[in-house]
Amino acid sequence: GIQVEQSPPDLILQEGANSTLRCNFSDSVNNLQWFHQNPWGQLINLFYIPSGTKQNGRLSATTVATERYSLLYISSSQTTDSGVYFCAGRETDKLIFGTGTRLQVFP
Amino acid sequence: SAVISQKPSRDICQRGTSLTIQCQVDSQVTMMFWYRQQPGQSLTLIATANQGSEATYESGFVIDKFPISRPNLTFSTLTVSNMSPEDSSIYLCSVVGGEAFFGQGTRLTVV
């Protein structure tokens, strides 16, 4: 079955709007991380969040490990938030990626 | 945290040729990982590189096509051999110490 699943696949927002991205993961996957891939292909670490809640500026993330999901919140979105957001979890030593959420923020 | 220097950042290559991608880590690590990201897709693990032993390849990837070297605990290379346009992708190296860190990526275009 699918080990790491993300939704929605695409999201279009106007600047200033808030959004929530979801990541569901299977029992074999742990140590959730969230990444932002910029237009140049570079992966930017957003959160390493095996459980609990973390905040960094306008972004925050919550992982409920017992229910096998994680949420990434983006508040007051800006055009620079555009790109693809990936969640990934570890299965033994390997990092398993979700299919990503493509976010477009328009002015 | 770990800082990974990956190069080249991009290249355009002729079909049938090979390209070697290098990754240098600022600390010693047991395992290094190589990923491929095809256009519009997510990241897929190619292989795990251990120092002093042969790399472990994932299903669908073979050593003849993607030979890997791991001469020491801070350095690894991935070669994409006998390239075809289907090999056009972003290739990334990674290390894991709890949290995973990635190099800047190599954007490869095969013409």
Side-chain angles (χ1 to χ4, degrees):
Chain A
I2 296 176
Q3 297 166 291
V4 181
E5 189 175 38
Q6 290 185 244
S7 61
D10 294 280
L11 193 55
I12 300 174
L13 300 175
Q14 193 155 24
E15 208 167 24
N18 303 327
S19 61
T20 301
L21 283 60
R22 186 177 177 103
C23 177
N24 294 329
F25 53 97
S26 63
D27 289 346
S28 62
V29 173
N30 290 289
N31 295 348
L32 250 287
Q33 286 187 241
W34 285 95
F35 298 90
H36 176 215
Q37 188 168 41
N38 64 23
W40 297 272
Q42 188 174 3
L43 277 177
I44 309 299
N45 286 42
L46 296 177
F47 295 103
Y48 172 63
I49 187 162
S51 64
T53 298
K54 291 185 178 180
Q55 182 160 4
N56 184 2
R58 296 181 296 103
L59 274 59
S60 63
T62 295
T63 296
V64 184
T66 53
E67 297 186 25
R68 320 307 295 173
Y69 74 90
S70 183
L71 303 174
L72 177 68
Y73 306 96
I74 304 175
S75 64
S76 303
S77 58
Q78 301 176 358
T79 56
T80 52
D81 295 330
S82 297
V84 183
Y85 291 80
F86 289 104
C87 69
R90 283 180 62 182
E91 184 181 67
T92 58
D93 296 316
K94 307 173 188 177
L95 205 59
I96 309 296
F97 280 80
T99 51
T101 293
R102 182 173 300 275
L103 174 64
Q104 299 178 71
V105 182
F106 291 95
Chain B
S1 66
V3 177
I4 306 172
S5 176
Q6 181 175 344
K7 57 182 181 181
S9 58
R10 57 174 57 230
D11 208 341
I12 301 174
C13 300
Q14 295 290 324
R15 66 178 69 199
T17 62
S18 299
L19 176 71
T20 296
I21 303 167
Q22 300 179 3
C23 272
Q24 178 76 49
V25 189
D26 67 344
S27 58
Q28 294 185 338
V29 293
T30 304
M31 290 184 286
M32 294 180 71
F33 302 87
W34 288 96
Y35 289 82
R36 180 178 73 180
Q37 185 181 25
Q38 295 177 299
Q41 303 296 313
S42 184
L43 282 78
T44 302
L45 181 64
I46 297 172
T48 303
N50 294 301
Q51 194 269 335
S53 63
E54 275 200 9
T56 303
Y57 289 83
E58 298 298 304
S59 175
F61 298 96
V62 295
I63 187 171
D64 290 347
K65 177 66 176 177
F66 298 101
I68 287 171
S69 77
R70 185 80 202 277
N72 57 55
L73 290 173
T74 63
F75 187 79
S76 179
T77 67
L78 170 77
T79 299
V80 187
S81 303
N82 189 24
M83 288 183 286
S84 66
E86 292 70 34
D87 294 318
S88 298
S89 297
I90 298 174
Y91 294 86
L92 299 103
C93 62
S94 170
V95 300
V96 177
E99 185 175 1
F101 295 92
F102 285 80
Q104 302 95 319
T106 297
R107 187 180 294 271
L108 171 63
T109 302
V110 184
V111 297

